[in-house]
């Protein structure tokens, strides 16, 4: 396996398995009402973050890199106040993940040094993928933190368990 193969596999497992598993774990522990809770009007709810991540990855990863059609309304991702259910949020997230699997399947490792899909921001495709994974990790961390505030002790060891189950660890 080359360094490029390993890098692509590591990014893929985190974007398509580990981080989505963390979101699923959170949703299993919270009520519908808790998903829409905001500490204040300038902050996002877990539901908004899920909608935003799904929209962002469909836009930058699946459309920009994978060529899968997608029309994004970023403002609506943050403006939503419900009533999307837990099932609807998971359907949206899981659809994005399925499309991400298709996108990653179409990226050969030797393409990582090809020009960025977003040349105004990045130079290479690997830059795009690292940014996408970092953005996802940041917001999933927020989702987990909010859930821990709302339901103390319910998510202990989530990070380690999802890395093991998702295939990011041996």
């Amino acid at each position: 396996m080359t360094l490029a193969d390993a890098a692509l596999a590591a990014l893929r497992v985190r974007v398509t398995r580990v981080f989505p598993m963390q979101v699923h774990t959170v949703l299993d522990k919270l009520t519908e009402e808790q998903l829409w809770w905001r500490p204040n009007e300038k902050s996002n709810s877990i539901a908004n973050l899920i909608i935003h991540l799904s929209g962002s990855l469909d836009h930058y990863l699946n459309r920009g890199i994978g060529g899968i059609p997608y029309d994004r309304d970023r403002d609506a991702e943050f403006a939503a106040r419900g009533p999307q259910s837990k099932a609807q949020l998971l359907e949206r997230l899981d659809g994005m993940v399925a499309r991400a699997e298709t996108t990653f399947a179409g990226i050969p490792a030797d393409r990582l040094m090809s020009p960025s899909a977003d040349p105004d921001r990045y130079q290479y495709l690997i830059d795009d993928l690292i940014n996408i994974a970092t953005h996802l990790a940041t917001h999933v961390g927020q989702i987990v933190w909010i859930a821990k505030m709302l339901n103390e002790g319910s998510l202990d060891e989530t990070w380690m368990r999802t890395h093991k189950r998702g295939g990011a660890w041996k």
Side-chain angles (χ1 to χ4, degrees):
M1 178 179 282
T2 68
L3 176 60
D5 290 321
L8 187 58
L11 288 163
R12 182 179 187 168
V13 76
R14 283 158 181 81
V15 169
T16 63
R17 284 187 247 157
V18 172
F19 296 130
M21 286 173 85
Q22 290 179 10
V23 174
H24 273 263
T25 301
V26 164
L27 268 64
D28 286 345
K29 303 290 183 184
L30 298 179
T31 67
E32 304 273 339
E33 181 180 309
Q34 287 174 315
L35 296 179
W36 290 98
W37 175 83
R38 293 169 177 254
N40 58 64
E41 276 305 306
K42 298 285 185 183
S43 297
N44 293 306
S45 68
I46 288 172
N48 288 108
L49 290 169
I50 292 168
I51 294 166
H52 169 63
L53 284 173
S54 298
S56 179
L57 268 71
D58 268 334
H59 180 81
Y60 289 106
L61 177 64
N62 297 327
R63 184 195 62 82
I65 297 170
I68 299 169
Y70 181 72
D71 291 319
R72 185 177 188 198
D73 185 351
R74 186 177 187 278
D75 291 339
E77 296 166 12
F78 297 108
R81 296 293 191 270
Q84 292 182 43
S85 69
K86 191 182 294 191
Q88 290 170 312
L89 292 169
L90 285 172
E91 182 179 326
R92 175 70 181 102
L93 177 73
D94 293 344
M96 177 278 295
V97 169
R99 290 183 288 279
E101 282 287 3
T102 300
T103 296
F104 272 105
I107 303 172
D110 63 359
R111 187 175 160 209
L112 292 180
M113 293 303 294
S114 66
S116 169
D118 192 359
D120 292 338
R121 294 183 184 185
Y122 304 109
Q123 187 170 3
Y124 302 109
L125 180 63
I126 187 71
D127 294 319
D128 295 328
L129 294 173
I130 290 170
N131 182 65
I132 288 164
T134 302
H135 180 246
L136 180 58
T138 298
H139 285 312
V140 170
Q142 291 173 324
I143 289 168
V144 171
W145 185 75
I146 293 167
K148 285 183 172 189
M149 286 190 334
L150 293 171
N151 199 350
E152 182 179 352
S154 67
L155 295 168
D156 292 345
E157 307 299 326
T158 296
W159 193 88
M160 292 191 311
R161 280 195 307 273
T162 57
H163 275 73
K164 288 177 188 173
R165 285 194 339 248
W169 289 357
K170 283 184 158 186

